[in-house]
């Protein structure tokens, strides 16, 4: 009858030494000098797991059954050698399987490594540009003024089909010292862009950062009737045809949108000094 | 002045007795009950901090054991046999000679047995009461002379109810939890029937444990000697058990158990009875054996003197069996020596030897490995038994154990273990018989071998033997023989509704479960088609669940009536005590008080009350008797008596001046 129990135990892959909290033997025992130890361990664990000691936990009975089975097999001189032989072989195979799995994982991880390649030259250029932008951000320097648009004038954009493409950022002398729109518009049409017809200047709006009572110059965003008109004005300015009261003209949209335009832009001295590789001298 | 002091003392004595009262409360106390064939005992744990404080509970007659006898007074209610008065214990034993047909003793030998059982048929020939067959379940039942039929469980429940009541009075608490002992060799039906008896008596039976195991618990609980191998030789009134236990560090582990469920003191008594009859017939040739054996009264008297002789020969070398007017004015005087008794009963004593050797073999132990042998049961007082045990084990048995009480004490200890009162002690018992099933050709296939530690569970996988078979019939047997017809059928498990498949393909899982009481449950499930069907076999214990429920309901219906009668009895008992005290005082101080003018009136009233009490005792069931009136009159009388004494004392003091 213990043979039948042995079959059940082997089918369930049970380590009876673990059940009895005993060290697993390394070879098949032929001399059982540890029988008293097994019995003592059984009694200690029975006192701990017997259902009589756990009236509120009916499932504890399974643990007790395991203890009884383990003791029956390990104390039976006819059955134990067969169990020990099976267990040692089972553990050896289990260990081999685990070792093989580990080796396979290692080989897979090695073969899956992708060698690094030399990055593309364009990538280096992009990285340097990103580095430039990070420096600008670090020093809180604006790159374009689009963040400070006056939202009240946005309603005009819906009527003009190419509002942003037709806009130029113009820096003027602050002779008016006010943000009166009609006066400024009249000034641009009659004094600054005298070669243009009146309807070619569509609209204007002011930068939020203008300080009309103190600054020497103000920034006015001028919307022309078509992008071609805007490009024409900008082209004349950049080719050296200066206008007396105008300090600077630049497009609102990125420069490369003008596909046939070539400009070697120079940063102003302050920015050029900040982004150069020379160390910055702090106060 | 001296006399006055004495009177004050007497008053205090009277009042203190009157103030006694009992407040029954619900308790978690567990009592241990040794339900013996001949005698029963009850014990409890007095101090939960001291696991050695198990104590015997005395019954209402001050005895530590109670005869396991129940009698019916057929004259008490001739019309309605369900209302007959029942007597239990010593009261039942005293009237046995004149009411032997309705006095049921040794019913433990019948409990849980079928009528056709060989042992039952043997008992029918020797018992003075009538054993009948229950038509519904084939079990052995008992019948009174006026036709009331009761199961052995019902008889046992009457005894258990008496023991429960005794315990409640002794402890002053309500008692409803119990551990009951059974012989180790009891099979499943017998164990279940014993549990049913406890249930009928209103007890919640936490556990049924084996008698020798209980004895070992009681013996080994002492820390000084709690390690080693012990053998328990238990020869009681009706059963013999031998158990081998290993005790270590608080764990009591049963290694093996064996025995004979039909060997005990009663058999020894029968041998002596036969010897006496032979002697008597030899001296009186004109009398035939049949004439004597058919006379129930004569047979009962012979049994009584036989038992007494057996007991005497445990103490003395020679005794005389004397009985006047045995039969037809003939007298009996038979000398008997210890040696003669030993020779007569040697065959019975020798029947205990094979189970002992088998138990030692099962435990894989040599006799010399045993550290202690303890004797349990009244029969072990017989010197010959002790010498046989000494020869078997090569050492003298331990004589520090009381054979009559140790089992009940052990049951109380197990109750303490189960209730959590006693910690660090565990009992690991075993199943005494092999459990198996019937296979081809009526062969017995063991599944759970004997001496397996309980609780145990085992699952077997079965399948069909015929293509398209839709059901299986699994017969579960208990016993040690190779063929099922020699073993006891425990249950018949029929599993139907199996999906028709080619033979050998259905997977039928059958689980065999022996719980800690030694009671067996079998369930089956068929999983090959994803279905699960479970049938649990409840062993045939002689009483179906419906019958038990009905009997409990009847007991509850009669509870109010029983309580009322008990209250009336208590009132009259108190009145009786008060009247007796007053009578004694009057008699003692007659000279002092006889000159008082109230003396003659009080004496007449005492006589009248005494007559009223006597009348009640003769007609206990007469509800028209005014018990409260008697009690009030007694109280008033006592008040008048006290005044009389005060007046007499005062007058005497005046005369002294």
């Amino acid at each position: 009858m213990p043979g039948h129990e042995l079959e059940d135990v082997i089918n369930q892959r049970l380590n009876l030494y673990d059940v009895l909290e005993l060290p697993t033997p390394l070879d098949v025992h032929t001399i059982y000098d540890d029988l008293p130890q097994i019995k003592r361990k059984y009694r200690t664990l029975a006192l701990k797991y017997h259902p009589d000691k756990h009236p509120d936990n009916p499932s504890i009975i399974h643990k007790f059954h395991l203890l009884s089975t383990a003791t029956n097999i390990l104390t039976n001189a006819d059955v134990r050698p067969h169990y020990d032989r099976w267990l040692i072989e089972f553990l050896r195979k289990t260990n081999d399987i685990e070792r093989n799995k580990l080796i396979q994982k290692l080989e897979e991880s090695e073969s899956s490594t992708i060698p690094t390649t030399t990055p593309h030259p364009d990538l280096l250029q992009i990285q340097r540009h990103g580095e430039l932008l990070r420096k600008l951000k670090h020093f809180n320097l604006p790159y374009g003024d689009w963040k400070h648009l006056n939202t009240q004038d946005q309603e005009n954009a819906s009527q003009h089909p190419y509002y942003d493409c037709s806009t130029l950022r113009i820096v003027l002398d602050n002779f008016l010292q006010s943000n009166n729109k009609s006066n400024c518009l009249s000034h641009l049409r009659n004094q600054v862009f005298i070669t243009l017809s009146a309807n070619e200047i569509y609209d204007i709006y002011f930068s939020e950062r203008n300080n009309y009572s103190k600054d020497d110059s103000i920034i006015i965003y001028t919307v022309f009737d078509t992008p071609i008109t805007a490009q024409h004005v900008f082209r004349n300015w950049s080719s050296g045809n200066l206008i007396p009261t105008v300090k600077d003209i630049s497009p609102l949209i990125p420069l490369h949108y003008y596909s046939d335009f070539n400009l070697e832009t120079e940063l102003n001295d302050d920015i050029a000094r900040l982004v150069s590789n020379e160390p910055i001298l702090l106060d | 002045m001296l006399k006055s002091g004495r009177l004050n003392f007497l008053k205090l004595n009277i009042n203190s007795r009157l103030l006694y009262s009992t407040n029954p409360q619900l308790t978690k106390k567990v009592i241990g009950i040794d339900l013996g064939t001949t005698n029963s005992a009850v014990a409890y744990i007095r101090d939960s901090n001291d696991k050695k404080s198990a104590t015997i509970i005395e019954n209402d007659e001050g005895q530590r054991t109670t005869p396991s006898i129940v009698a019916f007074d057929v004259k008490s209610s001739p019309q309605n046999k369900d209302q007959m008065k029942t007597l239990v214990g010593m009261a039942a034993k005293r009237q046995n000679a004149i009411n032997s047909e309705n006095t049921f003793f040794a019913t433990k030998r019948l409990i849980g047995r079928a009528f056709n059982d060989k042992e039952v048929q043997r008992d029918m020939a020797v018992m003075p009461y009538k054993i009948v067959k229950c038509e519904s379940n084939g079990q052995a039942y008992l019948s009174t002379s006026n036709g009331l039929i009761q199961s052995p469980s019902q008889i046992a429940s009457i005894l258990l109810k008496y023991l429960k009541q005794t315990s409640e009075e002794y402890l002053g608490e309500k008692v409803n939890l119990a551990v009951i002992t059974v012989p180790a060799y009891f099979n499943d039906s017998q164990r279940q029937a014993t549990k049913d008896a406890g249930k009928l008596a209103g007890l919640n039976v936490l556990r049924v444990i084996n008698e020798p195991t209980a004895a070992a618990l009681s013996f080994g609980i002492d820390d000084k000697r709690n390690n080693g191998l012990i053998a328990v030789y238990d020869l009681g009134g009706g059963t013999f058990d031998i158990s081998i236990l290993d005790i270590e560090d608080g764990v009591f582990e049963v290694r093996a158990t064996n025995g004979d469920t039909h060997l005990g003191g009663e058999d020894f008594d029968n041998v002596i009875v036969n010897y006496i009859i032979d002697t008597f017939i030899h001296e009186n040739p004109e009398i035939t054996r049949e004439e004597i054996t058919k006379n129930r009264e004569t047979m009962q008297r012979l049994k009584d003197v036989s038992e007494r002789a057996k007991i005497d020969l445990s103490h003395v070398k020679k005794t005389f069996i004397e009985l006047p007017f045995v039969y037809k004015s003939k007298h009996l005087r038979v000398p008997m020596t210890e040696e003669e008794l030993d020779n007569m009963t040697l065959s019975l004593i020798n029947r205990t030897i094979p189970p002992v050797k088998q138990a030692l073999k099962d435990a894989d132990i040599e006799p010399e490995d045993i550290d202690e042998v303890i004797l349990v049961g009244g029969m072990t007082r017989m010197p010959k038994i002790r010498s046989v045990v000494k020869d078997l084990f090569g050492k003298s048995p331990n004589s520090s154990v009381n054979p009559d009480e140790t089992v009940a004490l052990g049951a109380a200890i197990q109750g303490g273990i189960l209730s959590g009162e006693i910690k660090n002690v565990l009992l690991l018992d075993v199943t005494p018989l092999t459990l198996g099933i019937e296979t081809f050709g009526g062969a017995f296939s063991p599944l759970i071998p004997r001496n397996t530690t309980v609780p145990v569970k085992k699952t077997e996988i079965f399948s069909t033997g015929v293509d398209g078979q839709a059901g299986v019939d699994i017969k579960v047997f208990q016993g040690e023989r190779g063929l099922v017809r020699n073993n006891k059928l425990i249950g018949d498990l029929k599993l139907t509704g199996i999906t028709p498949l080619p033979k050998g393909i259905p997977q039928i899982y059958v689980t065999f479960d022996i719980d800690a009481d030694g009671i067996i449950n079998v369930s089956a499930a068929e999983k090959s088609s994803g279905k699960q069907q479970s049938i649990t076999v409840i062993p045939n214990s002689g009483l179906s669940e419906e019958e038990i429920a009905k009997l409990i309901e009847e007991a509850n219906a009669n509870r109010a009536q029983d309580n009322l009668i008990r209250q009336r009895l208590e009132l009259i008992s108190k009145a009786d005590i008060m009247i007796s005290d007053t009578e004694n005082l009057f008699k003692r101080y007659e000279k002092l008080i006889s000159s008082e003018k109230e003396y003659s009136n009080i004496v007449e009233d005492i006589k009248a009350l005494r007559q009223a009490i006597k009348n009640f005792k003769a007609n206990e069931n007469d509800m028209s008797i005014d018990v409260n009136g008697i009690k009030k009159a007694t109280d008033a009388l006592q008040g008048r008596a006290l005044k009389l004494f005060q007046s007499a004392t005062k007058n005497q003091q005046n005369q002294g001046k």
Side-chain angles (χ1 to χ4, degrees), chain B residues 68 70 72 84 101-113 115 120 123-124 127-134 139-158:
Chain B
S68 303
V70 174
F72 291 86
M84 275 192 293
E101 289 183 351
N102 301 302
T103 303
F104 301 103
F105 60 94
T107 56
K108 185 172 170 180
R109 301 169 89 140
L110 303 173
I111 199 166
R113 288 192 185 267
F115 179 79
V120 173
D123 277 344
M124 285 181 70
M127 291 300 182
Y129 49 77
K130 192 175 181 182
I131 301 172
V132 298
K133 179 178 183 179
C134 176
Q139 296 278 315
Y141 272 36
L142 302 161
S143 174
T144 58
S145 60
N146 63 351
L148 176 68
I149 296 177
Q150 301 255 299
S151 73
S153 288
Q154 288 174 269
I155 299 296
S157 74
I158 296 171

Side-chain angles (χ1 to χ4, degrees), chain B residues 577-595:
Chain B
I577 291 167
M578 292 161 70
I579 290 295
S580 297
D581 290 338
T582 307
E583 284 175 339
N584 289 335
L585 285 174
F586 269 52
K587 188 173 180 181
R588 186 180 301 179
Y589 300 101
E590 184 177 2
K591 293 181 180 179
L592 175 65
I593 62 178
S594 59
S595 59

Side-chain angles (χ1 to χ4, degrees), chain A residues 6 11 22 35 51 77 84 86 91-92 99 107 118 147 159 200 205 217 219 243 254 266:
Chain A
L6 178 63
N11 286 338
L22 290 168
L35 278 179
D84 282 349
W86 168 82
L91 292 178
R92 191 184 65 79
R99 181 167 167 274
E107 289 173 347
T118 307
K147 291 184 182 180
Q159 303 173 16
E200 285 184 320
Y205 56 91
S217 61
I219 298 172
I243 301 173
E266 289 186 2

Side-chain angles (χ1 to χ4, degrees), chain B residues 74-93:
Chain B
V74 293
K75 301 173 184 175
S76 64
S77 183
Q79 291 78 26
N80 189 351
K81 52 190 177 183
D82 289 328
Q83 295 294 326
M84 275 192 293
K85 179 180 177 181
T86 58
L87 300 167
V88 180
M90 189 56 69
K93 188 172 185 179

Side-chain angles (χ1 to χ4, degrees), chain A residues 118-166:
Chain A
T118 307
H120 193 273
D122 290 341
L123 184 58
L124 294 176
Q125 183 173 340
I126 293 169
Q127 287 174 348
R128 279 196 282 270
H129 185 64
E131 184 177 338
L132 176 66
L133 294 176
R134 285 194 292 275
K135 287 183 178 180
L136 291 172
K137 181 179 178 181
H138 177 72
F139 291 105
N140 284 326
L141 295 176
Y143 186 79
D145 288 334
W146 57 87
K147 291 184 182 180
H148 307 283
L149 300 178
N150 190 342
T151 58
Q152 295 178 3
D153 297 331
Q154 289 298 314
E155 58 191 355
N156 296 326
S158 62
Q159 303 173 16
H160 195 300
Y162 307 103
Y163 194 89
D164 287 340
C165 297
S166 308

Side-chain angles (χ1 to χ4, degrees), chain A:
Chain A
M1 193 48 62
H4 192 278
E5 282 184 321
L6 178 63
E7 185 179 338
D8 283 341
V9 164
I10 290 177
N11 286 338
Q12 299 180 53
R13 308 272 197 268
L14 292 177
N15 186 337
L16 301 180
Y17 294 94
D18 286 348
V19 172
L20 289 172
E21 299 180 3
L22 290 168
T24 304
L26 299 178
D27 53 14
V28 178
H29 276 45
T30 53
I31 299 175
Y32 299 112
D33 51 0
D34 60 348
L35 278 179
Q37 186 185 359
I38 293 176
K39 294 295 278 185
R40 195 175 307 112
K41 204 66 183 180
Y42 169 66
R43 290 196 187 90
T44 303
L45 293 173
L47 197 51
K48 189 176 175 183
Y49 291 113
H50 194 277
D52 285 353
K53 297 299 179 183
H54 298 276
D56 300 327
N57 186 359
S59 64
I60 202 76
I61 197 170
H62 301 296
K63 179 75 173 181
F64 178 74
H65 283 154
L66 259 186
L67 292 174
S68 297
T69 301
T71 307
N72 288 339
I73 288 177
L74 297 186
T75 56
N76 189 312
D78 297 326
V79 176
R80 186 175 178 182
H82 301 289
Y83 174 75
D84 282 349
R85 200 169 297 119
W86 168 82
L87 179 65
I88 291 171
E89 182 66 15
F90 172 74
L91 292 178
R92 191 184 65 79
K93 288 180 177 179
T94 304
N95 290 335
D96 284 353
I97 291 171
E98 290 177 359
R99 181 167 167 274
N100 290 336
K101 285 183 180 177
L102 189 62
I103 292 174
Q104 186 178 358
K105 282 186 179 180
L106 189 62
E107 289 173 347
E108 287 176 354
S109 67
E110 287 174 352
S111 63
S112 66
T113 303
I114 302 173
T116 57
T117 58
T118 307
H120 193 273
D122 290 341
L123 184 58
L124 294 176
Q125 183 173 340
I126 293 169
Q127 287 174 348
R128 279 196 282 270
H129 185 64
E131 184 177 338
L132 176 66
L133 294 176
R134 285 194 292 275
K135 287 183 178 180
L136 291 172
K137 181 179 178 181
H138 177 72
F139 291 105
N140 284 326
L141 295 176
Y143 186 79
D145 288 334
W146 57 87
K147 291 184 182 180
H148 307 283
L149 300 178
N150 190 342
T151 58
Q152 295 178 3
D153 297 331
Q154 289 298 314
E155 58 191 355
N156 296 326
S158 62
Q159 303 173 16
H160 195 300
Y162 307 103
Y163 194 89
D164 287 340
C165 297
S166 308
T167 304
L168 292 177
R169 175 178 179 274
I170 300 175
V171 181
L172 287 176
D173 288 339
N174 187 20
F175 68 100
L176 294 176
Q177 293 190 347
S178 73
N179 60 347
N180 186 289
K181 190 172 180 181
S182 60
N183 290 345
C184 190
L185 191 59
S186 176
H187 174 71
L188 288 174
R189 284 169 178 167
N190 300 326
Q191 305 287 337
V192 176
F193 304 109
I194 56 180
T195 61
L196 299 177
S197 61
N199 60 1
E200 285 184 320
I201 300 178
Y202 179 80
D203 194 10
I204 62 169
Y205 56 91
F206 300 95
S207 170
E208 290 277 329
R209 293 181 296 144
N210 289 337
N211 191 338
Y212 303 99
S213 60
K214 291 184 179 180
D215 287 349
D216 294 336
S217 61
I218 60 172
I219 298 172
I220 301 174
Y221 291 89
T222 306
V223 183
F224 296 93
D225 61 343
T226 62
I228 297 176
T229 305
Q231 287 189 31
H232 178 70
V233 170
F234 179 68
R235 215 181 287 272
N236 284 338
W237 167 266
S238 64
S239 66
N241 296 331
L242 300 178
I243 301 173
T245 58
V246 173
K247 286 188 166 62
D248 187 26
I249 296 178
S250 63
L252 178 63
I253 61 175
L255 191 61
H256 64 266
Y257 282 17
Y258 298 163
S259 58
D260 59 346
F261 190 81
N262 291 320
L263 174 65
E264 295 183 358
T265 306
E266 289 186 2
L267 297 174
N268 66 43
D269 293 341
D270 291 336
I271 297 178
R273 191 182 318 112
L274 289 172
V275 302
S276 68
N277 289 328
E278 297 176 2
I280 299 173
L281 301 177
L282 301 177
D283 294 341

